[in-house]
Amino acid sequence: MACEDRRILSITVTGDLAGITVRDLMKQKLGFSARLMSRVKYRAGGILLNGKPARAAALLAPGDELRLDITDPDSGKCVWVRPEPFLPPEILYEDEDLLILQKPSGLVCHPSFGHYADTLANAAAVYLGYENRAREIHMIGRLDRDTSGLVVIAKNSGAADSLFKQQEEKAFRKVYLAGAIGRFGGDIVIDRPIGRIPGVLMLRQACPEGKPAKTRCRALAVSGNEVLTACTLEQGRTHQIRVHLASEGHPLAGDLLYGPGGAREAFLATGDPGVVRIMNEAGSGGELHLCAYMAVLRQPFTGKILRVTARYPRWAETFGPEKPVRRKVEEILTDGNPAGR
């Protein structure tokens, strides 16, 4: 691996860090997983204290210069190949640790059956220089194939550990824009467990035996028989926004799975899971009105607050200009409380 390909975290020890060990700093202050700590400890030159190799048990003193090599090894689950044709990903934000991309509707996030190279992860891997390498891609929350919007990728395990912890602490939050069919106003909170529909792998339903799921929705604007809705998730179950709003009688426009005449209705009528697969592969002919629109998070190591916004979806333009919508979504993220608790 080339020298310039390495991620070295440099830390100047100040008073609040003095007296603790390197191990405690990695675990308690940086939130490193046990796997990453082990990788750093046993890597040649993984821990340098004032320019010299050090052990994880070393005590830190004010003014010490600590360098941690947190570079990921080439040991991922798959070797990344270049999509053909290759379209460079649209970058919304990038620094040493983060890459935030715009995912178009219709693009799969990660390799799966029938999609081995034509994925957002493959495009990101080629952009990052991982082509024909087994480097891990840390995608922090995937989007459904038909959902558009921002996708956050951590460039190393340390950044990934931080972002997963931020998710648990609700410091990393997203707001989705959804176009829901039918009229409603104000705020609604949908608190219904979500589980699989027996007999078909792809579909989900709101059901008592499912896993806890809560979605908070705020109506922003109306166009015809569709409401532009800002949604935030407490858990992030598969198809959560789509299932929850459909359970309220407000399926998303363009939803080939849960919308009127969609795959869910076809499966319940026929009991044939093949119908779902065929309808999903055929597509709806339109765009799902769902977009991961805005996120707020902390830079994993500097602590800087980042607010990143995806491209305003074309389908949302019928509700009016972006500026007032963006302002309302920013208010939701600032409050951290989109529909009351």
Side-chain angles (χ1 to χ4, degrees):
M1 189 180 299
C3 180
E4 62 272 12
D5 200 23
R6 309 207 69 80
R7 176 63 172 109
I8 308 297
L9 189 60
S10 299
I11 300 169
T12 299
V13 177
T14 54
D16 60 323
L17 300 178
I20 68 171
T21 65
V22 175
R23 179 186 294 106
D24 288 340
L25 182 144
M26 289 193 290
K27 182 178 181 179
Q28 299 173 12
K29 302 294 184 179
L30 299 176
F32 286 2
S33 65
R35 179 186 178 192
L36 177 57
M37 289 174 61
S38 179
R39 181 185 298 162
V40 173
K41 285 192 300 181
Y42 295 112
R43 170 178 286 154
I47 302 174
L48 295 179
L49 188 58
N50 300 318
K52 298 179 180 180
R55 299 173 63 87
L59 287 173
L60 299 173
D64 280 348
E65 294 293 334
L66 178 67
R67 290 167 60 87
L68 303 174
D69 187 342
I70 61 172
T71 309
D72 283 356
D74 281 357
S75 60
K77 295 180 180 179
C78 67
V79 175
W80 299 105
V81 297
R82 176 181 292 261
E84 295 296 344
F86 173 65
L87 299 176
E90 181 179 344
I91 299 170
L92 300 174
Y93 174 85
E94 184 176 14
D95 62 25
E96 287 186 292
D97 304 294
L98 301 176
L99 178 65
I100 305 181
L101 303 179
Q102 170 79 37
K103 187 187 92 65
S105 176
L107 182 66
V108 175
C109 272
H110 248 279
S112 59
F113 180 77
H115 298 278
Y116 300 108
D118 56 332
T119 77
L120 184 69
N122 286 80
V126 172
Y127 170 77
L128 291 170
Y130 302 165
E131 186 176 0
N132 299 322
R133 292 166 59 182
R135 193 77 167 267
E136 189 171 357
I137 294 289
H138 305 278
M139 196 170 285
I140 315 299
R142 305 180 188 182
L143 298 181
D144 299 338
R145 180 194 67 184
D146 296 325
T147 303
S148 65
L150 63 86
V151 174
V152 178
I153 294 174
K155 293 184 179 181
N156 53 70
S157 295
D161 289 347
S162 172
L163 291 176
F164 286 130
K165 185 175 181 180
Q166 288 182 46
Q167 285 184 323
E168 293 175 358
E169 297 171 344
K170 309 301 181 186
F172 175 14
R173 305 188 303 279
K174 288 183 186 177
V175 177
Y176 294 76
L177 293 181
I181 297 173
R183 295 292 189 95
F184 68 90
D187 298 334
I188 59 174
V189 179
I190 309 170
D191 189 359
R192 296 192 183 101
I194 291 177
R196 294 183 182 275
I197 294 181
V200 60
L201 292 175
M202 186 177 298
L203 297 178
R204 301 293 189 272
Q205 63 180 344
C207 57
E209 62 273 17
K211 295 181 179 180
K214 182 182 288 187
T215 305
R216 303 177 186 277
C217 305
R218 173 170 293 173
L220 303 180
V222 174
S223 177
N225 192 41
E226 187 176 343
V227 179
L228 180 63
T229 309
C231 302
T232 60
L233 308 178
E234 288 288 312
Q235 287 81 17
R237 307 298 180 196
T238 299
H239 300 166
Q240 182 169 322
I241 293 172
R242 301 163 72 176
V243 169
H244 268 171
L245 279 168
S247 74
E248 287 284 306
H250 299 293
L252 303 192
D255 193 341
L256 62 89
L257 295 183
Y258 304 100
R264 179 181 184 277
E265 288 185 5
F267 174 73
L268 294 178
T270 65
D272 180 7
V275 171
V276 178
R277 177 180 55 79
I278 292 170
M279 294 181 70
N280 183 61
E281 291 177 353
S284 65
E287 185 176 1
L288 174 66
H289 289 195
L290 182 61
C291 172
Y293 178 62
M294 190 179 294
V296 64
L297 63 155
R298 293 193 305 266
Q299 208 291 336
F301 303 120
T302 69
K304 179 182 178 181
I305 301 299
L306 305 174
R307 180 176 290 161
V308 183
T309 305
R311 190 163 14 94
Y312 196 54
R314 187 177 304 172
W315 57 262
E317 294 174 357
T318 184
F319 295 96
E322 178 182 11
K323 188 174 181 179
V325 171
R326 181 168 181 157
R327 184 172 62 250
K328 292 175 182 177
V329 172
E330 288 174 344
E331 290 173 358
I332 291 172
L333 280 176
T334 299
D335 295 342
N337 185 15
R341 296 185 186 275

